[in-house]
Amino acid sequence: MQQQSKKYTKMQKTIKFRFKAIGALFIAGSCLIGCVGHQLGKNNSGEYKNGMVVSANALASEVGIDILKKGGNAVDAAVAVQFALAVVHPNAGNIGGGGFMVYRSAKGEINSLDFREKAAGNANRDMYLDQAGNPIVDKSLYGQLAAGVPGSVAGMVEAHQKYGKLKWEELLAPAIRLAADGFKITARQAREFNGMKARFTKLNPLGTAMLKEAKWAEGDALVQKDLAHTLSLIQEKGRSGFYEGEVADSIVSEMKRGNGIISKEDLKNYKAVWRKPVTGMYRGYEITTMPPPSSGGIALIQLLKSVEPFPLGKWGYNTDSTVQLMVEAERRVYADRASHLGDPDFYPVPQAGLIENAYLKKRMSNFTWAKASTSAEISAGEIAPLEHEETTHFSIVDRDGNAVAITTTLNGSYGAGVVVHGAGFLLNNEMDDFSVKPGAPNMYGLVGGEANAIAPNKRMLSCMTPTIIAKDGKLFMVVGTPGGSTIITSVFQTIVNVIDFNQSMQAAVNAKKFHHQWLPDQIDVEDKALDSLTKVKLAAKGYKIVPRGAIGRVDAILKTKWGYYQGGADPRGDDTAIGW
Ligand code: DON
């Protein structure tokens, strides 16, 4: 945690600069690409009629918008962006990780795709514990053993087969080009690569494209020939280009080099799964979001329904009443998460009960305005952690109004730190999202128990919350974010900022956020999220307020009542909205 806060403080220092630089880029970029007016405020990056892509990297957003302009639909663009991010945003974009997609067609069909990693067939419940039964530091975080069986390639193949319009080959081409020809790295990437040098060197004795003698500098080209070759095999052979043959051989050899356990059988058997999305209403808006094995969708619906009976709009953005109510809802929802949520194929998640109005009303009934509840007195309800900033989310809408929200991850920044030798991609460290021992916090401080214990072939619980919102049957918002345990609260607050406080999409994304996750019993607060009077009032009621760096990196799209798309690209990162 301490390391994390240092990182956040550092990130914070760079944010002011980035904010200015990216703001300028937005304005210049938006107007070059065809700004159609309707400026709603200085944070607004322009409004567009035909579609929009908002992702963590400008090159990936460009890849997506090109696909839309060529006549591809939102799913085609999403597939191309996912592969492009694997090249240009290597800390989180991936083919060696996994994720979730939420889809809504222009006609209102909804669906969700689970391409989450899973534990290898040889995994076992105590694999990260020492002989005394205590978690071994870093064992679930770094190296080959930290990796779950990757799901991203299977996910993209499934999504394309079901909804894609353009040819598969065409969707891989931009990523292959970026990997083979190279691209100019950003200042932030140069800093990250330099910072990762020691870990990369230790974990990749045979070298990787991200390792070089001299220091990396902004504008240096990153050329990834091995990754280009792997992407070409996927382009040519689809899923078998990754889960079988040369690439599968490389993954298994990599496992042998570092005591990993993913086998050829695990790879061949991996399947992405279509799941019925979780849905719920909030003030007349139809929320469609991700079901388990993400906890995000259920938690989001629980949070929205818990605050719905109260007049947030009247109280206003981040006033003491607003913050107190949202924090008390978050405390209860994260307590539920720790006990009741896990992979539904292995554990009976009481999904319907957790989002039932009567249950949530009862759950909020023991909160009083006079003083803070304590997490010690709140446990999971009778019937449902801290994570890092290196997942990535993107939102896409096409010309017809089909929408895709994808959140995808390697878990920690640069995942397990291991690049599969000869194949050029990073392995995830998603195994740390399991509860390695009941009550032992993971890298984000999240705790869990039986529901999220390790078992062979089981998927680890996630917080990722890709979400699509409609109003009166028409698309309203596409939203999601990285941020580990703060994903759920960032998505929650972004939605409330728009629906209750009438903020534009960009303003809602920029707005400073706060976070409570049951344990530890504290409110994490971004700089300037709360004014000093609000802090004093909350402290007087017994709330512990802890300053921290950036919360979330939301990339979202809003459809205005005039039918235009507004982007919200998070200034906390290199994120970029492009519309047309
Ligand atoms: O699935 C999850 O909830 C985590 N592995 C997400 C990690 C994350 O968001 C890290 N970065 N921001």
Side-chain angles (χ1 to χ4, degrees):
M1 284 303 285
Q2 238 172 15
Q3 255 184 348
Q4 224 180 316
S5 3
K6 265 194 213 150
K7 183 183 161 200
Y8 288 136
T9 318
K10 251 171 74 191
M11 278 171 74
Q12 191 104 41
K13 283 190 190 152
T14 61
I15 281 170
K16 272 195 188 152
F17 166 76
R18 263 191 243 139
F19 182 81
K20 281 189 191 152
I22 288 177
L25 230 157
F26 278 158
I27 295 164
S30 310
C31 292
L32 270 177
I33 295 155
C35 180
V36 293
H38 290 91
Q39 289 290 327
L40 297 180
K42 71 179 162 75
N43 287 329
N44 190 267
S45 59
E47 296 189 357
Y48 303 87
K49 190 72 186 163
N50 291 318
M52 184 168 261
V53 180
V54 192
S55 85
N57 183 285
L59 294 168
S61 293
E62 271 167 27
V63 164
I65 212 81
D66 284 350
I67 295 287
L68 294 181
K69 286 182 178 171
K70 272 189 193 159
N73 62 23
V75 171
D76 292 320
V79 171
V81 169
Q82 170 82 26
F83 285 116
L85 284 170
V87 178
V88 299
H89 190 56
N91 62 326
N94 66 80
I95 54 175
F100 300 113
M101 172 175 107
V102 171
Y103 171 77
R104 183 182 186 278
S105 76
K107 292 193 175 129
E109 176 198 345
I110 55 170
N111 209 343
S112 73
L113 180 63
D114 162 6
F115 52 99
R116 180 70 161 167
E117 303 91 322
K118 56 191 231 177
N122 266 334
N124 73 76
R125 194 181 176 98
D126 299 333
M127 62 192 275
Y128 300 113
L129 304 184
D130 62 18
Q131 285 184 339
N134 297 316
I136 300 170
V137 176
D138 288 352
K139 200 168 180 187
S140 59
L141 280 177
Y142 305 118
Q144 290 78 346
L145 191 61
V149 183
S152 293
V153 174
M156 292 307 102
V157 170
E158 267 297 326
H160 179 254
Q161 280 175 355
K162 192 164 178 74
Y163 294 114
K165 212 161 104 185
L166 297 188
K167 286 210 171 83
W168 175 251
E169 294 74 24
E170 217 174 320
L171 307 181
L172 268 293
I176 296 171
R177 204 171 43 243
L178 285 162
D181 299 351
F183 69 96
K184 289 185 176 174
I185 64 170
T186 65
R188 186 160 59 99
Q189 286 175 324
R191 272 196 307 278
E192 286 177 3
F193 293 172
N194 292 331
M196 290 291 292
K197 188 168 182 174
R199 186 179 304 159
F200 282 155
T201 307
K202 183 169 166 220
L203 292 167
N204 301 279
L206 303 175
T208 104
M210 283 176 288
L211 267 177
K212 64 171 182 166
E213 273 300 312
K215 281 205 154 192
W216 289 95
E218 178 181 6
D220 282 355
L222 177 65
V223 178
Q224 301 172 87
K225 295 280 183 209
D226 288 347
L227 179 56
H229 177 61
T230 298
L231 290 167
S232 304
L233 290 170
I234 297 169
Q235 181 188 44
E236 193 190 323
K237 300 180 176 169
R239 66 162 281 149
S240 60
F242 182 85
Y243 292 99
E244 294 173 56
E246 203 180 308
V247 176
D249 289 346
S250 298
I251 295 174
V252 172
S253 307
E254 190 59 61
M255 289 295 132
K256 290 196 178 125
R257 254 191 297 279
N259 299 320
I261 55 172
I262 296 174
S263 67
K264 282 202 183 161
E265 217 187 359
D266 291 329
L267 292 166
K268 202 168 171 190
N269 291 340
Y270 181 88
K271 292 220 162 30
V273 183
W274 292 101
R275 299 194 188 268
K276 188 167 177 265
V278 190
T279 55
M281 295 294 289
Y282 177 64
R283 302 197 198 286
Y285 291 83
E286 303 138 28
I287 317 287
T288 300
T289 183
M290 195 65 213
S294 183
S295 62
I298 288 183
L300 176 65
I301 304 280
Q302 286 187 298
L303 288 170
L304 290 169
K305 285 192 172 187
S306 299
V307 303
E308 193 175 29
F310 300 86
L312 290 179
K314 200 169 120 207
W315 295 341
Y317 166 75
N318 287 10
T319 57
D320 55 327
S321 304
T322 297
V323 176
Q324 188 177 358
L325 179 72
M326 289 169 90
V327 159
E328 292 301 342
E330 289 169 10
R331 185 197 305 282
R332 287 158 177 78
V333 164
Y334 277 82
D336 278 353
R337 179 195 192 271
S339 283
H340 292 308
L341 272 292
D343 182 347
D345 296 341
F346 284 73
Y347 186 86
V349 176
Q351 181 166 325
L354 286 168
I355 56 175
E356 203 185 35
N357 285 330
Y359 169 71
L360 292 167
K361 198 166 166 211
K362 184 157 166 249
R363 200 91 175 101
M364 289 299 279
S365 64
N366 61 353
F367 130 75
T368 72
W369 287 107
K371 71 175 181 63
S373 309
T374 63
S375 290
E377 67 191 333
I378 302 289
S379 54
E382 280 177 28
I383 31 176
L386 296 169
E387 302 182 32
H388 214 268
E389 307 302 328
E390 308 307 345
T391 298
T392 190
H393 172 86
F394 53 96
S395 296
I396 299 181
V397 180
D398 66 23
R399 191 176 196 148
D400 296 325
N402 304 302
V404 169
I406 287 188
T407 315
T408 179
T409 189
L410 289 167
N411 193 24
S413 195
Y414 300 92
V418 176
V419 176
V420 176
H421 185 66
F425 63 89
L426 278 154
L427 289 171
N428 66 81
N429 58 349
E430 221 71 60
M431 289 298 285
D432 189 66
D433 270 351
F434 277 117
S435 174
V436 303
K437 182 186 174 184
N442 73 358
M443 77 186 291
Y444 307 112
L446 290 168
V447 292
E450 186 55 36
N452 191 31
I454 302 174
N457 299 311
K458 183 175 175 183
R459 282 157 151 92
M460 53 298 279
L461 185 61
S462 171
C463 284
M464 294 190 283
T465 314
T467 298
I468 300 179
I469 304 177
K471 177 89 200 300
D472 302 326
K474 296 203 178 84
L475 181 66
F476 178 70
M477 192 193 291
V478 189
V479 60
T481 184
S485 57
T486 68
I487 289 175
I488 299 165
T489 44
S490 299
V491 170
F492 172 46
Q493 284 167 63
T494 305
I495 293 171
V496 167
N497 286 347
V498 172
I499 294 181
D500 293 82
F501 306 135
N502 283 318
Q503 294 182 5
S504 70
M505 193 70 262
Q506 189 65 60
V509 168
N510 292 4
K512 301 297 182 181
K513 312 235 162 28
F514 60 89
H515 171 73
H516 195 295
Q517 60 176 41
W518 180 48
L519 295 176
D521 190 352
Q522 63 188 43
I523 312 178
D524 294 315
V525 179
E526 270 188 306
D527 189 26
K528 299 197 174 64
L530 308 183
D531 63 34
S532 36
L533 183 60
T534 303
K535 281 192 218 162
V536 169
K537 283 185 182 167
L538 290 168
K541 290 181 178 180
Y543 290 95
K544 183 175 170 204
I545 295 172
V546 178
R548 64 168 268 180
I551 297 184
R553 216 170 272 172
V554 179
D555 283 343
I557 300 172
L558 183 70
K559 188 163 191 195
T560 66
K561 56 181 159 202
W562 302 283
Y564 288 90
Y565 297 116
Q566 271 184 12
D570 206 317
R572 295 165 181 85
D574 291 336
D575 306 43
T576 306
I578 306 182
W580 70 299

